[in-house]
Amino acid sequence: MISYSDAIKIIENQSVNLKDFLLPINDCLGYTLSRDIYSPIDFPPFSQSAMDGYAIKFSDIKSFKVVAESKAGKANNINLNAGEAIRIFTGAYVSSGVDAIVIQEKVTLSKKNIIIDEIPRKNQNIRFKGEQIKKGDLILSKGSIINPASIGYILSLGINKLPVYKKPSVVIIVSGDELVSVGANLDEGKIYESNSSMIKACLYKEGIRDIKIVKVKDNLDQTVKTIQNQIKNSDVVIVSGGISVGDYDFVRDAMKKNDVKEVFYKVNQKPGKPIWFGRKKNKIIFALPGNPGSTLTCFYIYVLPILRKIQGRKSIHLDKIRLKIDQNLENNFKKTLFLKGRINFENVLSLKAQSSAKLSSFSLCDTLIYIPEKKGKISKNDKVDCFLLPK
């Protein structure tokens, strides 16, 4: 058994197989850039009006004759003389001699003449060519995560495909003779299986869609064959259950028979002590405890960082903040504790129902409160580290 801090260092030091490909930009939401991206054009590609109003040559005069119109989509370079103005609209082409746009609310119009109520500043209300970005400038750097604004920005520069890291394929193997699918008869001694759907939902939040769910009986031979087949077909294998020390927990033996290298087994923490992590060449394999609270805790703390690494993310862990605890706590277990918590402004409250078998508190919490194994007592208003759960 190893400590939480040692387990995290091992996770952070794992090398992963990064694969990239070109993807249409409309499909890139949530993907990570695999290369720096540079602008192929100036943006704006021409000087344009930022407002509806009148384009003028900057001067101290207030009276102008309107001699032309410039609307979006037409690029007419109009030569202005002193005392002349162009009626112009937002996004429209700004002629080369123009050096100010007067907004229409600051103008009094009489037939084809305008009187300016307030003289503008030079260059006011003009978006100049290349003002936002110039041709050849860096748009986004390698490791950037594509969000909705990124998509709009990059498309405006005429780019329709991006080099991004591939997301991993994941198989979830569910072990347990006591498990039945929702909708089936719940015979005495049986429980509904929910871990696979819970893990799948977590993967969906990370934008991972290539997911397969496989169920296996508590049988060594079947477990060996199932793990063997699924390692071949997936980048990441997540086993739920069958990793503790019971007579019908066959997962660890099945890993050995499949020549999967055990990296660590059991972490001195609560919940989730019997977590198993291993590798076979470039394949990543986790075996998580079957209790739902333990499963979800171990997924967030250990599995999620590896999944983010495979996607080329710079930041792989849950975001962490320090908050004041709302009550006194004792850690009598000499283990690292991950407590389900609820944030209230600058404070955090440890919720009831912390048992590893219970999800009721997990469904209400927005953070995992981290209590180090060497920390025995925590007093109200002490500051504690809180891992923020994905929203």
Side-chain angles (χ1 to χ4, degrees), residues 54 62-64 66 102-118:
Y54 296 86
K62 289 190 172 184
S63 180
F64 294 84
V66 180
V102 185
I103 63 172
Q104 61 188 33
E105 291 86 352
K106 300 292 184 180
V107 164
T108 301
L109 176 64
S110 176
K111 295 183 179 179
K112 289 290 184 178
N113 296 296
I114 60 169
I115 297 174
I116 297 174
D117 301 330
E118 181 181 304

Side-chain angles (χ1 to χ4, degrees), residues 33 71 96 117 152 163 196 198 208 210 218 227 248 257 267 272 282 292 300 318 320 337 342 364 368:
L33 276 179
K71 64 179 183 177
S96 55
D117 301 330
S196 61
M198 180 174 68
I208 297 170
D210 188 355
D218 289 329
I227 290 173
Y248 296 96
K257 289 182 180 294
V267 178
N282 287 325
Y300 283 133
L318 294 175
K320 183 172 70 173
L337 302 184
R342 187 78 186 172
L364 299 173
L368 290 175

Side-chain angles (χ1 to χ4, degrees), residues 8-20 32 142 165-169 208 235-237 263 277-286 302-316:
I8 283 297
K9 286 177 185 175
I10 290 171
I11 293 290
E12 291 173 343
N13 291 330
Q14 292 299 303
S15 60
V16 294
N17 189 26
L18 294 173
K19 302 175 185 176
D20 69 341
T32 306
K142 175 182 176 179
Y165 289 112
K166 283 188 175 181
K167 291 181 179 289
S169 58
I208 297 170
D235 298 314
V236 178
V237 175
V263 180
F277 172 52
R279 299 198 62 160
K280 187 168 184 178
K281 296 181 181 178
N282 287 325
K283 303 302 178 81
I284 303 290
I285 302 100
F286 283 97
Y302 301 108
V303 183
L304 185 60
I306 289 283
L307 293 172
R308 288 179 172 177
K309 260 198 162 193
I310 294 172
Q311 296 177 76
R313 299 282 184 89
K314 294 177 180 177
S315 177
I316 61 173

Side-chain angles (χ1 to χ4, degrees), residues 168-321:
S169 58
V170 181
V171 63
I172 305 166
I173 301 175
V174 181
S175 172
D177 287 349
E178 76 281 11
L179 304 174
V180 297
S181 299
V182 174
N185 290 330
L186 192 65
D187 296 332
E188 197 74 20
K190 302 288 186 179
I191 60 172
Y192 289 123
E193 193 280 309
S194 61
N195 281 358
S196 61
S197 293
M198 180 174 68
I199 296 170
K200 183 178 179 180
C202 291
L203 296 171
Y204 263 59
K205 268 195 171 291
E206 289 298 302
I208 297 170
R209 296 291 187 269
D210 188 355
I211 305 166
K212 184 179 180 181
I213 297 174
V214 177
K215 297 181 181 179
V216 63
K217 295 289 186 181
D218 289 329
N219 174 281
L220 179 57
D221 289 341
Q222 288 187 31
T223 305
V224 170
K225 289 177 182 177
T226 300
I227 290 173
Q228 181 185 56
N229 292 334
Q230 299 311 319
I231 286 176
K232 292 177 185 176
N233 301 320
S234 300
D235 298 314
V236 178
V237 175
I238 302 172
V239 182
S240 172
I243 195 56
S244 195
V245 293
D247 291 347
Y248 296 96
D249 290 324
F250 297 116
V251 172
R252 192 182 185 200
D253 286 341
M255 295 295 185
K256 291 178 182 177
K257 289 182 180 294
N258 276 296
D259 297 320
V260 180
K261 180 184 176 183
E262 183 175 291
V263 180
F264 64 72
Y265 175 49
K266 293 185 179 179
V267 178
N268 190 34
Q269 68 179 49
K270 184 177 176 63
K273 172 185 168 183
I275 179 176
W276 187 97
F277 172 52
R279 299 198 62 160
K280 187 168 184 178
K281 296 181 181 178
N282 287 325
K283 303 302 178 81
I284 303 290
I285 302 100
F286 283 97
L288 308 182
N291 278 327
S294 297
T295 298
L296 201 49
T297 298
C298 289
F299 179 90
Y300 283 133
I301 300 300
Y302 301 108
V303 183
L304 185 60
I306 289 283
L307 293 172
R308 288 179 172 177
K309 260 198 162 193
I310 294 172
Q311 296 177 76
R313 299 282 184 89
K314 294 177 180 177
S315 177
I316 61 173
H317 296 294
L318 294 175
D319 291 335
K320 183 172 70 173
I321 59 174

Side-chain angles (χ1 to χ4, degrees), residues 369-385:
I369 303 168
Y370 165 64
I371 309 296
E373 60 184 74
K374 294 181 180 178
K375 189 81 172 176
K377 290 187 177 181
I378 298 93
S379 300
K380 183 178 180 179
N381 292 326
D382 281 352
K383 285 200 169 182
V384 293
D385 287 332

Side-chain angles (χ1 to χ4, degrees), residues 35-185:
R35 296 198 300 271
D36 293 341
I37 304 298
Y38 298 89
S39 179
I41 62 169
D42 292 325
F43 194 81
F46 56 89
S47 294
Q48 57 183 218
S49 177
M51 305 289 281
D52 294 334
Y54 296 86
I56 62 171
K57 283 190 172 187
F58 183 77
S59 68
D60 291 333
I61 64 175
K62 289 190 172 184
S63 180
F64 294 84
K65 181 181 179 181
V66 180
V67 297
E69 181 181 272
S70 180
K71 64 179 183 177
K74 287 193 174 182
N76 295 323
N77 194 27
I78 302 163
N79 291 319
L80 277 182
N81 298 313
E84 293 181 338
I86 300 169
R87 176 67 168 130
I88 198 166
F89 301 93
T90 302
Y93 181 87
V94 173
S95 297
S96 55
V98 170
D99 48 22
I101 307 290
V102 185
I103 63 172
Q104 61 188 33
E105 291 86 352
K106 300 292 184 180
V107 164
T108 301
L109 176 64
S110 176
K111 295 183 179 179
K112 289 290 184 178
N113 296 296
I114 60 169
I115 297 174
I116 297 174
D117 301 330
E118 181 181 304
I119 294 175
R121 299 186 306 275
K122 190 170 185 178
N123 300 328
Q124 188 171 358
N125 300 320
I126 299 175
R127 302 177 186 135
F128 287 97
K129 179 180 179 179
E131 179 179 277
Q132 186 170 164
I133 193 166
K134 289 182 168 52
K135 183 178 180 178
D137 283 354
L138 180 69
I139 304 170
L140 289 173
S141 58
K142 175 182 176 179
S144 298
I145 300 170
I146 303 302
N147 59 32
S150 305
I151 290 172
Y153 180 34
I154 294 169
L155 280 171
S156 72
L157 301 175
I159 298 172
N160 61 6
K161 287 186 178 180
L162 290 177
V164 294
Y165 289 112
K166 283 188 175 181
K167 291 181 179 289
S169 58
V170 181
V171 63
I172 305 166
I173 301 175
V174 181
S175 172
D177 287 349
E178 76 281 11
L179 304 174
V180 297
S181 299
V182 174
N185 290 330

